[in-house]
Structures are given as structure tokens and as C-alpha cells.
Amino acid sequence: MLGVMEGKKDSIVSYLRHIWGTPLYDLEINTYREEGRKDVLAKWSKVQQANAKKIKTMEEATLLYPYSPEIYYNLSLLYSENGDKGKAQENILKAKQIDPSIR
């Protein structure tokens, strides 16, 4: 948190990743916009684009390997990081249906 309070770009991006999908996220993004933190917003945009690309790749992998619990598990992690708790839950349930030992 110290890095966030000091305005360090990498710390702020890490913080945004952590709060993505929560009500606090919109408030914080608006604050960085109002402060003119284009550096933070640009880096954050790259993180979001990379996540979207990873999700697309993993979704395609589910079509090729529909019985791979690892793919669904990793997809649930990506969706969770992306703030989409519904999709995260959906994919972890699919992983558990294939492999009940997954927690």
C-alpha cells in the first residue's frame, strides 16, 4: 500500500488488479483520471488487454480440450482477476465436475 500512497505506477496497477470487479474499482479509476495519471491508465489498459487475450486463448482451449480441469481452473483464475466473479465461479464448477479433488 505504501507504493500506492507514494503514487508509484507499478504499485497502483497491482492495486487496481486486486480491486478489479469491486465497487471500489470505479471510484479509484475515476480518481486517477481526475488526477491526470495517464501513465497509470495506459499501463492498466495494457494489463486489461493482456487479460482479455489470455481469456480468449483459454476459451479456445476449452473447445479443444473440454475435459481438462486445468484449463477451466486457470480460466476461473483469469476471470476472477478480471473482476467477472460469475464466469470465475462457472469455470471452477466445471473444473470440479471433471476433477472433484479440486478445491
Side-chain angles (χ1 to χ4, degrees):
M1 263 327 261
L2 182 60
V4 173
M5 291 172 25
E6 292 175 345
K8 293 182 179 177
K9 179 175 57 175
D10 290 337
S11 296
I12 293 169
V13 169
S14 179
Y15 169 64
L16 290 173
R17 180 179 280 144
H18 182 73
I19 65 168
W20 200 358
T22 69
L24 181 57
Y25 170 78
D26 290 331
L27 178 66
E28 293 289 357
I29 282 293
N30 288 333
T31 299
Y32 292 117
R33 278 191 193 111
E34 289 169 6
E35 291 177 355
R37 291 299 306 263
K38 291 180 182 178
D39 60 329
V40 169
L41 298 173
K43 186 158 186 174
W44 179 240
S45 178
K46 287 181 183 179
V47 167
Q48 289 176 307
Q49 290 169 5
N51 244 20
K53 195 176 211 181
K54 289 176 191 175
I55 287 172
K56 183 177 185 253
T57 299
M58 293 300 282
E59 287 286 0
E60 290 169 356
T62 65
L63 299 174
L64 295 171
Y65 306 100
Y67 301 106
S68 171
E70 293 86 4
I71 292 173
Y72 290 107
Y73 179 81
N74 288 324
L75 194 51
S76 77
L77 295 176
L78 285 169
Y79 274 118
S80 181
E81 184 178 305
N82 216 16
D84 191 337
K85 304 302 181 199
K87 286 277 194 181
Q89 183 67 23
E90 178 183 318
N91 282 283
I92 196 68
L93 288 175
K94 286 179 185 178
K96 288 180 181 183
Q97 285 175 344
I98 297 166
D99 183 356
S101 70
I102 292 174
R103 304 220 176 246

